[in-house]
Amino acid sequence: MKKIVTFLTCLLLIGSVAKAQNFDAGGSVINPSTITAFDLFNIGQSQAILSTARSAALAGAMTSLGADPSTMSINPAGMGMYRHNEVAFTPMMGFARAKNGNASSFESNSKNRFGISNFSMVARLRESGTGVTAINMGLAYNRLADFNYQTSFANVGQPYNNSIADVFAGMLHSGGISRDYLKGNYNGFGEFMWERIDPTYWGAVLGYKTGLINAQDTNWKRDMIAPDATVDGYNTIESQGSLGEWVWSLGMNFGSKFYLGFSLSASLLNREVHTYYGEGYRYSSEPEIDYRMDYFNYDQISKMKGTGINFKIGAIYRPIENLRIGVAFHTPTYYNVTYSYSAGMTSRVKALNNVDDYTTDSNGYIDPPFSERTIELIDDGDYSWRFTTPMRLMVGVSYTVAKQFILSVDYQRDFNTTMRMKNSPYGALYKDYIKHNFKGSNALRVGTEWRFIPQMAVRMGYSVSGSGVADKNAIYSSPVIYNTQYMTSGLGIALSKHFSIDVAYIYSSSHLTPYKAFYGYDNSLDYAAPTVNSTINRHTAMLTFAIHF
């Protein structure tokens, strides 16, 4: 259950909203302490291209096709096309590479990951020559999205007002948080009471406790970083995890002309993000200040784990032998999510005039260095996050030529403005924000399959997903994917009557909206890190083993 201390945090947040309106702060380094509307959007962008190697090789164009476990998560009517029982298993290997425009490199921009994309079982429950020709039931785990990537960049040689320290100062000033309050915010055991501080300000408070900023009353400013300092900023975002679903599906075949299917799905969300930001300071000459900060390191960890439930219904019609028309509708996924967050900061400071009588080493540096870590904020139980992702409509058409060549085309519409925050520990609803910053998005998928001999199929595909944000050039509080293209290929090999192997290769390129590590502004102040434009390229290999009986 949620600790009572977080309820006090909620009250502080509600009381500070009006004050914080005068200073707008955000960015990829500022926002990890909470779930934003953009997190909801990213979670809702499931990738129908994953699951099995056949589905992947056809770029996910499976709405009018069938007899594949991926159809349980795309169009369950395809389950009605199975003519045998089946057990399938699909391991995958992903290689993600990030590009960050003109930003200098810092750490690695790559991340590799092994995972399970599909495990499924299909059973034929009924066979008949009339009426309902067949009823098939399936149970599967299908992977819907891959969150694994790492992006890292450096902004070297920035002017002094491109420091996150000034944003921290503006946040504490606008929030009405004084130094005297922070100095008195300790319990009887000498422990700082983080639970009494709105988590939005935790980074700024860490900045105070490690020397980035100081204040007289609420007039926060820098006093260990000289005004003529040159700022080198370093940022790394490491994301890991996936979105998958356990799906139970039922498909019916009516005379091999009409197929109807239903799926009930339990989604499993697991995402962990490590956000690092650090600054180093260079001085042309020894500054006339008591303490000189050389650098600081800021680490944040956020974890999102939860379950969701949705329902899918679909149909496929064959007006003539070679033509199939499919349609499917996916309800919103209703999520219940536990969210946790913690952060830590260290800094290295040299005492030029040790007026506070710190212990220093032989080189004059304060020893041990300033270091502080927050408690772990956990939103769970009755205080967990509850939200819904967009509902989805899918339409597909496929045509078979001489029982050897298949062309399949899919269209998908995501109704992104139907996202909703149902419950938040902080009372955030986002409804109006979603309405003005998101729009419906479209995806087009094309897949081909050529079976030049009965035992082998060659497959290729292409898919493009359009923007779901109202303005893809706007700088939002955190980056979101606005366009993804996939190019796919694969082979299907029937080794025997009872055993087959499918292989697939996927290349994808996802473009993110421009973003900043941090920004903060009001009527008179404007602080911001340089804008970054990132692209995440992925290479994915998949292998499906299937037993038919």
Side-chain angles (χ1 to χ4, degrees):
M1 291 293 291
K2 181 76 174 180
K3 298 180 179 65
I4 190 64
V5 295
T6 306
F7 175 71
L8 299 176
T9 300
C10 297
L11 296 180
L12 285 169
L13 176 62
I14 294 170
S16 65
V17 168
K19 298 177 183 178
Q21 287 177 346
N22 295 326
F23 189 80
D24 186 4
S28 61
V29 177
I30 300 294
N31 291 309
S33 62
T34 188
I35 296 178
T36 69
F38 300 103
D39 293 315
L40 307 189
F41 176 78
N42 285 331
I43 292 169
Q45 305 308 295
S46 62
Q47 302 161 5
I49 200 169
L50 296 178
S51 183
T52 66
R54 185 189 183 209
S55 175
L58 293 172
M62 298 291 294
T63 303
S64 61
L65 301 178
D68 187 86
S70 64
T71 60
M72 299 189 211
S73 295
I74 299 174
N75 184 357
M79 287 288 295
M81 296 183 181
Y82 269 99
R83 298 180 179 179
H84 47 251
N85 303 314
E86 180 184 274
V87 176
F89 174 68
T90 307
M92 62 174 287
M93 188 70 186
F95 307 86
R97 304 289 185 270
K99 295 183 178 180
N100 297 305
N102 297 323
S104 302
S105 60
F106 171 40
E107 292 183 323
S108 173
N109 278 313
S110 63
K111 189 172 182 61
N112 306 328
R113 187 78 170 181
F114 173 83
I116 303 302
S117 185
N118 160 265
F119 174 74
S120 59
M121 297 176 289
V122 177
R124 287 178 63 81
L125 302 182
R126 169 188 168 91
E127 295 182 53
S128 174
T130 59
V132 181
T133 309
I135 300 177
N136 302 320
M137 183 178 69
L139 177 66
Y141 169 81
N142 287 325
R143 179 170 291 211
L144 302 180
D146 187 352
F147 299 134
N148 295 283
Y149 69 88
Q150 179 168 310
T151 178
S152 182
F153 56 87
N155 293 304
V156 179
Q158 299 298 311
Y160 76 95
N161 60 349
N162 279 76
S163 170
I164 199 172
D166 294 308
V167 176
F168 286 157
M171 291 173 66
L172 292 183
H173 176 74
S174 66
I177 300 176
S178 69
R179 186 182 69 168
D180 289 343
Y181 173 76
L182 296 180
K183 291 178 70 174
N185 189 40
Y186 288 84
N187 60 25
F189 302 97
E191 300 167 332
F192 189 80
M193 294 184 286
W194 287 100
E195 64 272 15
R196 297 182 61 190
I197 306 294
D198 171 4
T200 303
Y201 299 112
W202 280 10
V205 174
L206 286 172
Y208 159 68
K209 294 173 74 64
T210 54
L212 267 71
I213 54 177
N214 204 348
Q216 294 292 332
D217 297 324
T218 61
N219 296 316
W220 293 91
K221 62 180 181 180
R222 298 180 293 174
D223 62 0
M224 293 187 182
I225 308 170
D228 62 345
T230 299
V231 180
D232 298 334
Y234 304 91
N235 191 194
T236 297
I237 300 174
E238 180 186 4
S239 174
Q240 57 191 38
S242 65
L243 173 65
E245 66 178 10
W246 281 100
V247 53
W248 174 86
S249 187
L250 189 70
M252 293 171 282
N253 178 351
F254 297 84
S256 297
K257 293 286 289 185
F258 181 74
Y259 305 84
L260 183 66
F262 311 89
S263 288
L264 181 63
S265 305
S267 298
L268 303 177
L269 171 65
N270 182 19
R271 188 182 186 191
E272 182 172 327
V273 179
H274 293 242
T275 304
Y276 165 80
Y277 182 75
E279 287 182 356
Y281 308 102
R282 290 179 284 152
Y283 304 90
S284 57
S285 60
E286 197 69 86
E288 295 182 0
I289 52 181
D290 294 330
Y291 301 97
R292 185 197 73 202
M293 182 171 291
D294 285 359
Y295 64 83
F296 81 92
N297 297 309
Y298 181 26
D299 292 286
Q300 301 176 81
I301 301 175
S302 57
K303 300 177 182 179
M304 189 185 304
K305 295 183 178 181
T307 57
I309 188 169
N310 67 54
F311 180 74
K312 304 176 180 72
I313 183 172
I316 298 175
Y317 177 57
R318 302 177 70 173
I320 58 176
E321 177 67 22
N322 296 340
L323 178 65
R324 302 179 186 182
I325 302 171
V327 61
F329 175 76
H330 300 184
T331 69
T333 302
Y334 298 83
Y335 276 105
N336 187 356
V337 171
T338 295
Y339 192 76
S340 66
Y341 169 79
S342 63
M345 189 179 293
T346 61
S347 64
R348 188 66 164 161
V349 177
K350 186 172 184 178
L352 304 179
N353 182 21
N354 196 1
V355 295
D356 296 303
D357 198 26
Y358 288 109
T359 301
T360 60
D361 62 16
S362 58
N363 295 314
Y365 285 94
I366 296 174
D367 190 30
F370 293 132
S371 180
E372 186 72 20
R373 176 161 288 279
T374 69
I375 60 172
E376 185 178 26
L377 172 70
I378 301 178
D379 298 325
D380 64 359
D382 293 338
Y383 293 90
S384 62
W385 297 76
R386 296 180 177 89
F387 54 85
T388 64
T389 61
M391 59 183 179
R392 177 173 294 129
L393 177 67
M394 307 176 77
V395 178
V397 177
S398 60
Y399 191 80
T400 303
V401 180
K403 296 183 179 181
Q404 290 184 320
F405 180 81
I406 298 175
L407 174 64
S408 182
V409 180
D410 276 17
Y411 166 78
Q412 175 179 312
R413 175 72 173 182
D414 285 9
F415 300 88
N416 295 306
T417 56
T418 62
M419 292 186 297
R420 290 292 181 268
M421 176 64 72
K422 296 296 184 180
N423 182 64
S424 160
Y426 313 114
L429 297 177
Y430 303 152
K431 182 177 180 180
D432 290 337
Y433 193 86
I434 290 171
K435 178 181 178 180
H436 291 98
N437 288 279
F438 296 93
K439 64 179 183 179
S441 60
N442 306 305
L444 180 66
R445 303 185 182 96
V446 180
T448 62
E449 180 176 280
W450 180 31
R451 193 173 294 275
F452 58 94
I453 59 174
Q455 294 79 23
M456 180 177 291
V458 178
R459 302 168 181 135
M460 296 184 67
Y462 174 79
S463 173
V464 59
S465 301
S467 176
V469 292
D471 184 357
K472 66 181 183 180
N473 297 312
I475 296 176
Y476 300 106
S477 58
S478 56
V480 293
I481 295 174
Y482 71 85
N483 175 272
T484 300
Q485 296 185 61
Y486 300 89
M487 289 178 284
T488 66
S489 61
L491 290 174
I493 303 173
L495 299 178
S496 70
K497 180 180 179 180
H498 300 291
F499 187 64
S500 65
I501 294 178
D502 296 282
V503 296
Y505 164 75
I506 307 169
Y507 170 76
S508 66
S509 181
S510 300
H511 299 273
L512 275 63
T513 55
Y515 63 98
K516 298 177 181 291
F518 61 85
Y519 61 80
Y521 61 88
D522 59 16
N523 293 331
S524 59
L525 301 175
D526 189 354
Y527 306 111
T531 301
V532 178
N533 293 278
S534 292
T535 301
I536 300 174
N537 300 321
R538 299 181 189 273
H539 303 267
T540 305
M542 302 170 63
L543 180 63
T544 297
F545 303 91
I547 301 173
H548 318 283
F549 55 96

